[in-house]
Amino acid sequence: MAKLTPPVLRGDTWYLVRRVPGRYAQIEPRQKVRVSLATDSREVADAKAPMVWQQMIEAWEARLAGDTSDAQGRFDAAKDIAQSRGFRYLPAAKVARLPIEELVNRIEASVDSRGNVDPVTADALLGAVQAPELTVSKALDKFYEVEAVRVKGKSADQLRRHKAPRLKATRNFIKVVGDKPLDQITTRDLFDFRQWWQKRVTAGEVEPATANKDMVYLIAMWKPVARDAQLSLKINTDGVMFDEGKKKTRPPFSPAWIKDKLLPGIIRMNGEARGIIELMVNTGARPSELSALNHETICIDADVPYIHIRPEGRTLKSQFSERFIPLVGISLEAAKRNRAGFPTYADNPALSDTVNKYFEENALKETPRHTFYSLRHSFESRMLKADFPERLKAELMGHRIQREKYGEIDLEHVRGWLLKIAI
């Protein structure tokens, strides 16, 4: 940015005085602007001038954008113009219901220095710019703008996995109902979508839970997006969800299977994948947590060797997931061989597919329902059978602690418990 002309003193007040860039001639009739900096201090004026000038530039840019024929561009520009004048953009119907004093203020702010009404500014302040239709397809991207805080800190792979089921649900709905504007979706549309899923559930193609996920993802996206756009959803979700029956869980590997089949069977695997599997045996940590470990979070040289599960370029599943887990048995040996971590699989979605494929091809699945994740359930099952204290089980699994947490658990004490179930 070019260096600003120094503020000019008029009486006891400093002013920003500067020539209007030629780029804005079509929307700013003044050749030069003079704006009070509302201070008699040169130091304060020097600090405020760049900020005031930047606000003016942003307002002019918004007005330029307001001349576009693109509906979304015009609407976004209108919101920016309103904000630059100190107002919130409201549709015309709501502007008409404002207190008379604010309505007058909006009208007066639409008048330029020559006493003429600026049509672009007036449209923005009086709500005359029509909001573009917010369709089902547009709602997906809008969701990640409106709810940006939900995905803050997620790694690229975490963000991909977060978006994938929501994109699938969006495409399925458009396939059945169409890419309708959100405020035109009806309860009947939801039941048409449900009927499409019901045929697939009845045919045995999918489980009821799969259909329910689509409904949950769509409604959870539409509500905050509609609220942000000041739209009213005309839907009732009562009776839309399917009864899922008894939830199916992954069975745990038995200790005997892990010792006699699984561990001997992975000797030929690549070193990093094998190391993650062996670490999972006696820590029960999630695959994504283990693959994110590095030389700082694999602590072999401590008095009690341990791993520290913490955010590493990614978010954890919950606030309870950060934890310290002592290393024992085969997991300690794996950590010693992989002190630097697992760079091949850090934020790599291929890990589970690689392991599950190897299990399948090498007859390492105890039953057809067993998966890589079953090792986590095995760790939990072994803790249960060994009568681990409830708080200790929750701490080690990264689960919510049901009561208020007091104090820290000593790693030496935890290692003593883990040695009882170590493989």
Side-chain angles (χ1 to χ4, degrees):
M1 180 183 296
K3 186 176 180 180
L4 282 178
T5 304
V8 176
L9 184 63
R10 293 284 190 271
D12 295 329
T13 303
W14 288 93
Y15 286 79
L16 169 67
V17 180
R18 198 168 192 206
R19 188 171 298 279
V20 176
R23 168 179 170 79
Y24 309 119
Q26 60 180 302
I27 47 89
E28 175 54 72
R30 295 173 293 178
Q31 293 183 342
K32 183 182 291 186
V33 292
R34 187 179 72 166
V35 181
S36 171
L37 297 174
T39 181
D40 59 2
S41 166
R42 175 61 186 271
E43 184 179 359
V44 173
D46 286 340
K48 291 179 67 175
M51 294 184 288
V52 171
W53 181 249
Q54 182 60 33
Q55 290 172 353
M56 296 184 72
I57 292 292
E58 291 173 357
W60 285 326
E61 286 293 336
R63 290 178 61 192
L64 279 180
D67 290 332
T68 179
S69 59
D70 174 68
Q72 185 63 54
R74 281 179 54 80
F75 187 65
D76 290 342
K79 291 193 292 184
D80 289 341
I81 291 170
Q83 185 175 20
S84 73
R85 294 294 192 275
F87 300 99
R88 184 166 71 95
Y89 180 84
L90 295 172
K94 290 190 176 182
V95 171
R97 295 196 294 270
L98 289 172
I100 188 65
E101 183 178 353
E102 183 176 341
L103 181 58
V104 170
N105 289 339
R106 286 175 177 254
I107 293 173
E108 290 179 345
S110 303
V111 179
D112 63 25
S113 60
R114 296 178 180 177
N116 299 318
V117 174
D118 178 65
V120 175
T121 303
D123 286 349
L125 299 186
L126 301 180
V129 180
Q130 186 67 35
E133 286 190 331
L134 185 56
T135 61
V136 172
S137 60
K138 291 179 180 178
L140 177 65
D141 289 333
K142 193 66 177 177
F143 172 75
Y144 285 95
E145 294 178 21
V146 174
E147 297 290 289
V149 68
R150 292 196 184 189
V151 294
K152 182 179 180 181
K154 288 189 180 296
S155 67
D157 183 56
Q158 284 182 313
L159 185 58
R160 178 193 63 78
R161 287 188 281 116
H162 191 274
K163 284 186 174 181
R166 291 162 178 80
L167 176 60
K168 179 182 75 69
T170 297
R171 288 174 173 171
N172 284 339
F173 189 86
I174 292 174
K175 177 181 178 181
V176 177
V177 178
D179 195 12
K180 298 181 68 171
L182 289 193
D183 58 351
Q184 294 181 27
I185 295 173
T186 65
T187 302
R188 179 68 262 169
D189 292 328
L190 289 186
F191 277 90
D192 286 344
F193 190 45
R194 185 185 193 279
Q195 187 174 27
W196 178 76
W197 272 114
Q198 185 169 314
K199 291 178 181 179
R200 300 186 65 190
V201 171
T202 303
E205 296 177 21
V206 295
E207 296 292 332
T210 302
N212 285 343
K213 285 179 181 178
D214 263 20
M215 292 291 188
V216 169
Y217 285 133
L218 290 173
I219 294 167
M221 285 192 298
W222 293 349
K223 284 184 176 179
V225 168
R227 184 169 58 248
D228 178 74
Q230 302 177 47
L231 298 176
S232 297
L233 293 179
K234 307 179 182 70
I235 54 176
N236 184 337
T237 60
D238 290 347
V240 168
M241 308 300 284
F242 291 95
D243 180 4
E244 297 183 15
K246 185 177 180 180
K247 186 176 181 180
K248 294 182 179 180
T249 59
R250 299 180 184 89
F253 284 109
S254 67
W257 184 272
I258 294 174
K259 294 176 187 175
D260 301 334
K261 295 286 187 179
L262 189 60
L263 293 178
I266 63 173
I267 295 295
R268 299 185 305 276
M269 285 194 78
N270 75 71
E272 289 187 35
R274 174 189 167 191
I276 292 173
I277 294 171
E278 291 172 338
L279 266 175
M280 197 171 179
V281 170
N282 292 321
T283 66
R286 301 175 180 92
S288 60
E289 295 172 338
L290 294 172
S291 64
L293 293 172
N294 56 41
H295 70 283
E296 293 182 352
T297 51
I298 298 176
C299 304
I300 298 299
D301 299 323
D303 292 340
V304 177
Y306 66 91
I307 57 174
H308 182 188
I309 305 298
R310 69 184 188 192
E312 290 290 328
R314 55 187 289 117
T315 58
L316 296 178
K317 186 170 184 180
S318 76
Q319 61 177 310
F320 304 99
S321 296
E322 182 164 358
R323 60 202 187 278
F324 298 88
I325 307 176
L327 294 168
V328 295
I330 191 69
S331 298
L332 175 57
E333 297 306 312
K336 290 178 178 178
R337 295 195 314 271
N338 296 274
R339 291 174 180 242
F342 309 94
T344 299
Y345 295 105
D347 201 35
N348 186 337
L351 174 61
S352 290
D353 288 343
T354 297
V355 174
N356 284 322
K357 181 179 179 182
Y358 189 91
F359 284 1
E360 183 72 38
E361 293 176 348
N362 293 274
L364 297 178
K365 297 174 66 174
E366 194 167 359
T367 73
R369 290 178 55 209
H370 279 78
T371 68
F372 178 24
Y373 210 85
S374 295
L375 283 170
R376 177 168 162 84
H377 294 294
S378 174
F379 177 76
E380 187 173 26
S381 175
R382 282 149 47 211
M383 286 196 295
L384 180 64
K385 291 177 180 178
D387 293 323
F388 273 49
E390 286 300 319
R391 176 184 167 182
L392 181 55
K393 284 191 296 183
E395 289 259 7
L396 288 169
M397 293 298 291
H399 288 163
R400 176 186 294 273
I401 298 172
Q402 298 302 322
R403 61 180 177 78
E404 188 173 354
K405 181 177 177 180
Y406 293 99
E408 298 297 329
I409 295 179
D410 180 75
L411 286 181
E412 183 69 55
H413 175 73
V414 178
R415 179 170 65 175
W417 278 96
L418 289 178
L419 287 171
K420 297 179 180 182
I421 64 170
I423 293 175

